Amino acid sequence: VPAAAVLVPLREALDACRPTVRKQVCDDIGRRLTVLGEAWAQGKLSAPVRKRMSLLVQELQRQHWDTADEIHRSLMVDHVNEVSQWLVGVKRLIAETRSLPTTELAAAMDGSTEAGPGQEGP
């Protein structure tokens, strides 16, 4: 799994959160994503961690929050030494994207701007 396949969607989710989440929180998440990227680039992440992060991002993109959270928990339990520096940021990102309006998140995560029923505006 290439690092970009995980990092790009996570950064897009972070950008989607910026208008509604405190700057300090977004900056912290951003720093932790940078640590994740560096660890990935330096080959410090095992194959199971890379694979699970790829799955986590897929679930995040599908807005399957509980499944993404479950994968996060399994990473914390099974690979705490490997993930402790940055996984807290991913958890916070899951929580913040979960509270975004669905259309904003969808637009940020896959370029889609379709409004759902009842979201045409005032």
Side-chain angles (χ1 to χ4, degrees):
V1 181
V6 170
L7 291 167
V8 169
L10 290 175
R11 293 212 177 273
E12 288 171 351
L14 177 58
D15 289 344
C17 291
R18 287 193 186 278
T20 56
V21 178
R22 286 195 345 258
K23 181 183 184 320
Q24 180 182 0
V25 171
C26 289
D27 290 350
D28 181 61
I29 293 170
R31 276 191 300 275
R32 292 176 188 276
L33 292 181
T34 299
V35 171
L36 166 60
E38 289 168 355
W40 200 300
Q42 294 165 8
K44 292 182 177 176
L45 300 180
S46 65
V49 168
R50 293 192 311 266
K51 176 81 173 136
R52 285 194 211 174
M53 280 305 299
S54 174
L55 292 171
L56 188 150
V57 166
Q58 289 172 22
E59 296 303 336
L60 197 61
Q61 289 174 312
R62 294 181 186 126
Q63 300 176 24
H64 296 166
W65 314 118
D66 293 339
T67 309
D69 224 25
E70 224 171 84
I71 295 167
H72 156 270
R73 273 194 303 278
S74 76
L75 279 165
M76 273 313 265
V77 170
D78 298 341
H79 303 279
V80 68
N81 293 334
E82 232 175 305
V83 304
S84 62
Q85 296 284 306
W86 48 265
L87 197 58
V88 174
V90 173
K91 178 176 177 50
R92 185 70 190 260
L93 189 55
I94 294 168
E96 297 299 346
T97 53
R98 184 178 214 156
S99 65
L100 284 176
T102 306
T103 50
E104 278 181 38
L105 180 62
M109 296 293 275
D110 65 16
S112 142
T113 53
E114 295 173 26
Q119 296 177 339
E120 293 84 29

